[in-house]
Amino acid sequence: KNEVEQSPQNLTAQEGEFITINCSYSVGISALHWLQQHPGGGIVSLFMLSSGKKKHGRLIATINIQEKHSSLHITASHPRDSAVYICAVSFSGNTPLVFGKGTRLSVIA
Amino acid sequence: DAGITQSPRHKVTETGTPVTLRCHQTENHRYMYWYRQDPGHGLRLIHYSYGVKDTDKGEVSDGYSVSRSKTEDFLLTLESATSSQTSVYFCAISDQGVNTEAFFGQGTRLTVV
């Protein structure tokens, strides 16, 4: 079964810390997405990538195709970054996304 | 923000009653998806559509049906609601499928009593 594993499940950080959230998957993929879900429930797309690295503001997403692994980094974390971060992958072609269970991040001032 | 609206946002219904959730988009995106989100699980795909009248089943499709008669609307129907269908339901859209950005609705919290 094609699976997506995220770690850690929960993460608490002090404001200003550098944060890394990991996503690993079982077989080759065509696309990987990082999503953010705030306490109010809304889900927002952060990145979509199939190779290399993308950066948006304080967020950086990387992917290593050979190791079947992606990381989401947050630099200079802030309490407003507190949310659930979700990794999702498409395992081939245009097959629907398979989602990880999410990483719950709390950033404390 | 992408124009995607779910209705209703909250609903309480009784076991055995039919329920229809609506997803409406103003982006003219080809792909539309229905997911459910439950504690301890990631988002799970119920059904999706890749065009008007073109739909396919997802991982947890039992007990659900869908229809897409117009590009902008994707309806999810629970023919006879059960307590196991208590969940938060999300609709999502994308232009070219999984290799393009996905946009999510605000979710519908459904409680079956």
Side-chain angles (χ1 to χ4, degrees):
Chain A
K1 182 179 178 182
N2 296 332
E3 293 184 334
V4 179
E5 297 288 337
Q6 287 187 237
S7 63
Q9 289 186 346
N10 296 282
L11 180 57
T12 300
Q14 293 291 323
E15 183 174 0
E17 285 186 8
F18 180 85
I19 290 165
T20 296
I21 299 170
N22 298 297
C23 176
S24 60
Y25 44 91
S26 52
V27 297
I29 63 169
S30 62
L32 184 144
H33 297 243
W34 282 103
L35 309 166
Q36 180 191 56
Q37 185 172 26
H38 272 285
I43 299 173
V44 176
S45 175
L46 297 176
F47 297 103
M48 190 209 67
L49 64 167
S50 56
S51 64
K53 174 180 174 178
K54 289 189 176 181
K55 184 176 189 290
H56 185 258
R58 294 180 295 106
L59 301 178
I60 303 166
T62 65
I63 188 167
N64 185 316
I65 299 299
Q66 288 73 28
E67 295 187 3
K68 299 183 180 58
H69 181 269
S70 176
S71 293
L72 177 67
H73 305 286
I74 305 175
T75 62
S77 60
H78 189 277
R80 65 176 175 266
D81 297 324
S82 298
V84 176
Y85 293 83
I86 302 168
C87 173
V89 307
S90 173
F91 284 104
S92 66
N94 212 355
T95 55
L97 296 175
V98 176
F99 292 78
K101 294 181 180 180
T103 294
R104 185 175 300 275
L105 171 66
S106 297
V107 181
I108 300 170
Chain B
D1 289 345
I4 176 170
T5 306
Q6 290 184 230
S7 59
R9 293 291 311 281
H10 301 272
K11 186 170 182 67
V12 179
T13 192
E14 293 187 349
T15 299
T17 60
V19 177
T20 295
L21 308 183
R22 181 186 185 224
C23 180
H24 178 77
Q25 61 145 330
T26 58
E27 304 296 321
N28 201 36
H29 281 357
R30 179 183 174 192
Y31 288 81
M32 299 185 76
Y33 307 85
W34 276 110
Y35 298 97
R36 61 178 289 173
Q37 186 177 43
D38 304 289
H41 295 273
L43 286 157
R44 293 181 292 174
L45 181 67
I46 305 171
H47 283 278
Y48 69 103
S49 170
Y50 45 96
V52 174
K53 299 191 188 305
D54 292 324
T55 65
D56 206 349
K57 296 180 179 180
E59 176 188 359
V60 290
S61 60
D62 287 348
Y64 301 94
S65 62
V66 290
S67 66
R68 191 171 178 197
S69 58
K70 299 183 290 184
T71 298
E72 57 265 36
D73 288 326
F74 192 33
L75 304 180
L76 176 70
T77 297
L78 290 66
E79 300 290 349
S80 177
T82 68
S83 58
S84 65
Q85 294 176 311
T86 293
S87 187
V88 180
Y89 292 84
F90 285 94
C91 175
I93 62 174
S94 68
D95 192 21
Q96 299 294 328
V98 296
N99 296 313
T100 53
E101 185 178 5
F103 301 93
F104 286 78
Q106 287 299 101
T108 295
R109 183 172 296 275
L110 176 68
T111 303
V112 183
V113 297

Coordinates of all heavy atoms in Angstrom, one line a residue, chain A residues 1-5 23-31 68 87-101, chain B residues 43-44 59:
Chain A
K1 N 0.8 -1.2 0.0 CA 0.0 0.0 0.0 C 0.9 1.2 0.0 O 1.9 1.3 0.7 CB -0.9 0.0 1.3 CG -1.8 1.2 1.3 CD -2.7 1.1 2.6 CE -3.6 2.3 2.7 NZ -4.5 2.2 3.9
N2 N 0.5 2.2 -0.8 CA 1.3 3.4 -0.9 C 1.0 4.3 0.3 O -0.2 4.6 0.6 CB 0.9 4.2 -2.2 CG 1.3 3.5 -3.4 OD1 2.3 2.7 -3.4 ND2 0.6 3.7 -4.5
E3 N 2.1 4.7 1.1 CA 1.9 5.4 2.3 C 2.7 6.6 2.4 O 3.7 6.8 1.8 CB 2.2 4.4 3.5 CG 1.3 3.2 3.6 CD 1.6 2.4 4.9 OE1 2.7 2.4 5.3 OE2 0.7 1.7 5.3
V4 N 2.2 7.5 3.2 CA 2.8 8.8 3.5 C 3.0 8.9 5.0 O 2.0 8.8 5.8 CB 2.0 10.0 3.0 CG1 2.8 11.3 3.3 CG2 1.8 9.8 1.5
E5 N 4.2 9.1 5.5 CA 4.5 9.1 6.9 C 5.1 10.5 7.3 O 6.0 11.0 6.6 CB 5.5 8.1 7.4 CG 4.9 6.6 7.2 CD 3.9 6.3 8.1 OE1 3.8 6.9 9.2 OE2 3.1 5.4 7.8
C23 N 8.6 14.4 5.9 CA 7.6 13.6 5.2 C 8.3 12.5 4.4 O 9.2 12.8 3.6 CB 6.7 14.4 4.3 SG 5.5 13.6 3.2
S24 N 8.0 11.2 4.6 CA 8.6 10.2 3.8 C 7.5 9.4 3.1 O 6.3 9.3 3.7 CB 9.5 9.3 4.7 OG 8.7 8.7 5.7
Y25 N 7.8 8.8 2.0 CA 6.8 8.0 1.3 C 7.4 6.8 0.7 O 8.6 6.6 0.7 CB 6.2 8.9 0.2 CG 7.2 9.7 -0.6 CD1 7.8 9.2 -1.8 CD2 7.6 11.0 -0.2 CE1 8.7 9.9 -2.5 CE2 8.5 11.7 -0.9 CZ 9.1 11.1 -2.1 OH 10.0 11.8 -2.8
S26 N 6.5 5.8 0.3 CA 6.9 4.5 0.1 C 7.5 4.2 -1.2 O 8.3 3.3 -1.4 CB 5.8 3.5 0.4 OG 4.6 3.9 -0.3
V27 N 7.0 4.8 -2.3 CA 7.4 4.6 -3.7 C 7.5 5.9 -4.4 O 7.2 7.0 -3.8 CB 6.4 3.6 -4.4 CG1 6.3 2.3 -3.7 CG2 5.0 4.3 -4.5
G28 N 8.0 5.8 -5.6 CA 8.2 7.0 -6.4 C 6.9 7.8 -6.6 O 5.8 7.3 -6.6
I29 N 7.0 9.1 -6.7 CA 5.9 10.0 -6.8 C 5.9 10.9 -8.0 O 7.0 11.1 -8.6 CB 5.7 10.9 -5.5 CG1 6.9 11.8 -5.4 CG2 5.6 10.0 -4.3 CD1 6.8 12.9 -4.3
S30 N 4.8 11.5 -8.4 CA 4.8 12.5 -9.4 C 4.7 13.9 -8.9 O 5.1 14.8 -9.5 CB 3.6 12.2 -10.4 OG 2.4 12.3 -9.7
A31 N 4.1 14.0 -7.7 CA 4.0 15.4 -7.1 C 3.9 15.3 -5.6 O 3.3 14.3 -5.1 CB 2.8 16.1 -7.6
K68 N 13.2 9.5 -1.2 CA 11.8 9.5 -1.0 C 11.4 10.2 0.3 O 10.7 9.7 1.2 CB 11.2 8.0 -0.9 CG 11.4 7.3 -2.2 CD 10.8 5.9 -2.1 CE 11.0 5.1 -3.4 NZ 12.5 4.9 -3.8
C87 N 1.4 16.8 4.7 CA 2.1 16.4 3.5 C 1.2 15.5 2.6 O 0.5 14.7 3.2 CB 3.4 15.6 3.8 SG 4.3 14.9 2.5
A88 N 1.1 15.7 1.3 CA 0.3 14.8 0.5 C 1.0 14.5 -0.8 O 1.7 15.4 -1.3 CB -1.0 15.5 0.2
V89 N 0.9 13.3 -1.3 CA 1.6 12.9 -2.5 C 0.7 12.2 -3.5 O -0.3 11.6 -3.2 CB 2.8 12.0 -2.2 CG1 3.7 12.6 -1.2 CG2 2.4 10.6 -1.8
S90 N 1.1 12.4 -4.8 CA 0.5 11.6 -5.8 C 1.5 10.6 -6.3 O 2.6 10.9 -6.7 CB 0.1 12.5 -7.0 OG -0.4 11.7 -8.1
F91 N 1.1 9.3 -6.2 CA 2.1 8.3 -6.5 C 2.4 8.0 -7.9 O 3.4 7.4 -8.3 CB 1.7 7.0 -5.7 CG 2.0 7.1 -4.3 CD1 0.9 7.3 -3.4 CD2 3.3 7.0 -3.8 CE1 1.2 7.4 -2.0 CE2 3.5 7.1 -2.4 CZ 2.5 7.3 -1.5
S92 N 1.5 8.4 -8.8 CA 1.8 8.2 -10.2 C 0.8 9.0 -11.1 O -0.3 9.2 -10.7 CB 1.7 6.7 -10.6 OG 0.3 6.3 -10.5
G93 N 1.3 9.5 -12.2 CA 0.5 10.2 -13.1 C -0.4 11.3 -12.5 O 0.1 12.2 -11.8
N94 N -1.7 11.1 -12.6 CA -2.6 12.1 -12.1 C -3.5 11.4 -11.0 O -4.6 11.8 -10.8 CB -3.5 12.7 -13.2 CG -3.9 14.1 -12.9 OD1 -3.6 14.6 -11.8 ND2 -4.5 14.7 -13.8
T95 N -3.0 10.4 -10.4 CA -3.8 9.7 -9.4 C -4.0 10.6 -8.2 O -3.1 11.4 -7.9 CB -3.1 8.4 -8.9 OG1 -1.8 8.7 -8.4 CG2 -3.0 7.4 -10.0
P96 N -5.1 10.5 -7.5 CA -5.4 11.4 -6.4 C -4.4 11.4 -5.3 O -3.7 10.4 -5.1 CB -6.8 10.9 -5.9 CG -7.4 10.3 -7.1 CD -6.3 9.6 -7.8
L97 N -4.4 12.5 -4.6 CA -3.4 12.6 -3.5 C -3.7 11.7 -2.3 O -4.8 11.4 -2.0 CB -3.4 14.1 -3.0 CG -3.0 15.1 -3.9 CD1 -3.2 16.5 -3.3 CD2 -1.6 15.0 -4.3
V98 N -2.6 11.2 -1.7 CA -2.6 10.4 -0.5 C -2.0 11.3 0.6 O -0.9 11.9 0.4 CB -1.9 9.1 -0.6 CG1 -1.9 8.4 0.8 CG2 -2.5 8.2 -1.6
F99 N -2.7 11.5 1.7 CA -2.3 12.5 2.7 C -1.7 11.8 3.9 O -2.1 10.7 4.4 CB -3.6 13.2 3.2 CG -4.2 14.1 2.2 CD1 -5.0 13.6 1.2 CD2 -4.0 15.5 2.2 CE1 -5.5 14.4 0.2 CE2 -4.5 16.3 1.3 CZ -5.3 15.8 0.3
G100 N -0.7 12.5 4.5 CA -0.1 12.1 5.8 C -1.1 12.6 6.9 O -2.1 13.3 6.6
K101 N -0.9 12.1 8.1 CA -1.8 12.4 9.2 C -1.6 13.8 9.8 O -2.3 14.3 10.6 CB -1.7 11.4 10.3 CG -2.1 10.0 9.8 CD -2.1 9.0 10.9 CE -2.5 7.6 10.5 NZ -2.5 6.6 11.5
Chain B
L43 N -6.5 13.3 5.7 CA -7.7 13.5 4.8 C -7.8 12.2 3.9 O -6.8 11.7 3.3 CB -7.4 14.7 3.9 CG -7.6 16.1 4.6 CD1 -6.8 17.1 3.9 CD2 -9.1 16.4 4.7
R44 N -9.0 11.8 3.7 CA -9.3 10.6 2.9 C -10.2 10.9 1.8 O -11.3 11.6 2.0 CB -9.8 9.5 3.7 CG -8.8 8.9 4.7 CD -9.3 7.8 5.5 NE -10.4 8.2 6.4 CZ -11.1 7.3 7.2 NH1 -10.9 6.0 7.1 NH2 -12.0 7.8 8.0
E59 N -10.9 6.3 -1.8 CA -10.6 5.3 -0.8 C -11.8 4.9 0.0 O -11.9 3.8 0.4 CB -9.5 5.9 0.0 CG -9.0 5.0 1.2 CD -8.0 5.7 2.1 OE1 -7.7 6.9 1.8 OE2 -7.6 5.1 3.1

